Amino acid sequence: MTDDRRRIEIDEYIEVPPSEAFDYVADPERRTFGDDQLELGAEIERDAPSRIAWQVTTADGASRHTGTVEIAIVPEGPGSRVRVIHEIGGPSATVRQTGELALAS
Amino acid sequence: MTTDAVQAFADPSRRAILDCLLPCERAVSEIVAAVGLSQPAVSQHLRVLLDARLVTVRRDGRRRLYQVSSDGLEALHAEVERYWQAALAQMKQDLEGHESNEERNDRTSR
């Protein structure tokens, strides 16, 4: 199984400043992703207005932690380049003998 | 993806099984513990996933170890990609207040 297929990376140019884009993705009341079949879990990282990351699970399965999502925002002209990096299974995920997923340190 | 694979992939229990196989190959008993279904149910789902080539199996002594196949990973990759493309398109529309290029293309191609 090739690791590169575990990584989804897409981006979109949005014509608002990075701070506005960041406020949108960081606010559960405004963003439209992460509360349906793909559920954002614990926040792993927050570095306004450039980067925010969460653990993520698929809501319709019995599995728990199944990945991480990072959103990176960089200024581009008058707007922002918003990049989503979703790693299925999480980066460097390892499985302990009990079968629980743990992130490698 | 073949029609069989699309159908196999559509079931939430089978997606849960694929999720638990992502980090490493597992025996049936480990899959049963991870997804919380009965062993007969898991075995039936694994048969469907095998037929659809979304998982592969190998013998290790008396155990059968299953893992996600490259087709299975492709299916997951495509689904997650579609999800985030839609999410970013919606974000663009919400923040800019008009259709994104993707939505304009969808509309004009119908």
Side-chain angles (χ1 to χ4, degrees):
Chain A
M1 200 183 331
T2 50
D3 279 346
D4 63 325
R5 297 317 282 160
R6 296 173 184 239
R7 182 183 172 96
I8 290 88
E9 191 169 332
I10 60 169
D11 63 88
E12 178 89 64
Y13 172 76
I14 303 181
E15 200 147 323
V16 296
S19 56
E20 270 189 52
F22 186 90
D23 287 348
Y24 178 98
V25 300
D27 187 348
E29 301 293 313
R30 295 183 65 199
R31 68 186 182 226
T32 60
F33 55 83
D35 66 351
D36 43 26
Q37 73 267 32
L38 192 150
E39 234 175 58
L40 297 183
E43 201 175 278
I44 303 168
E45 185 181 353
R46 177 184 282 240
D47 180 22
S50 310
R51 183 174 274 105
I52 184 167
W54 305 265
Q55 290 182 347
V56 62
T57 59
T58 49
D60 61 3
S63 50
R64 301 188 299 273
H65 168 199
T66 57
T68 59
V69 171
E70 176 188 326
I71 296 184
I73 300 167
V74 298
E76 184 173 305
S80 307
R81 177 69 52 181
V82 179
R83 173 169 282 108
V84 176
I85 301 158
H86 182 141
E87 299 227 15
I88 298 173
S92 307
T94 59
V95 179
R96 295 201 199 94
Q97 279 189 333
T98 56
E100 288 180 336
L101 275 176
L103 292 178
S105 53
Chain B
M1 252 198 322
T2 64
T3 311
D4 280 350
V6 169
Q7 284 203 306
F9 188 70
D11 182 285
S13 298
R14 287 196 281 269
R15 288 223 288 281
I17 292 171
L18 285 173
D19 276 350
C20 92
L21 292 175
L22 278 169
C24 63
E25 62 183 1
R26 294 185 192 250
V28 176
S29 57
E30 293 169 307
I31 299 169
V32 168
V35 302
L37 297 170
S38 70
Q39 170 139 352
V42 167
S43 293
Q44 190 191 24
H45 285 309
L46 285 170
R47 234 182 328 271
V48 173
L49 289 169
L50 272 171
D51 286 346
R53 301 187 200 283
L54 296 181
V55 303
T56 56
V57 65
R58 70 177 182 94
R59 278 207 179 282
D60 176 49
R62 275 182 293 172
R63 296 190 308 163
R64 290 160 64 87
L65 297 175
Y66 291 83
Q67 70 173 6
V68 181
S69 68
S70 55
D71 275 0
L73 195 51
E74 280 301 326
L76 280 167
H77 183 105
E79 182 174 86
V80 172
E81 192 170 62
R82 271 194 299 274
Y83 181 92
W84 286 111
Q85 279 169 342
L88 284 180
Q90 185 64 55
M91 178 179 174
K92 187 179 176 77
Q93 184 171 355
D94 287 348
L95 288 175
E96 290 183 359
H98 57 257
E99 281 180 357
S100 68
N101 285 334
E102 182 184 289
E103 285 167 327
R104 198 174 300 117
N105 288 341
D106 279 348
R107 186 170 54 78
T108 57
S109 68
R110 272 191 237 119

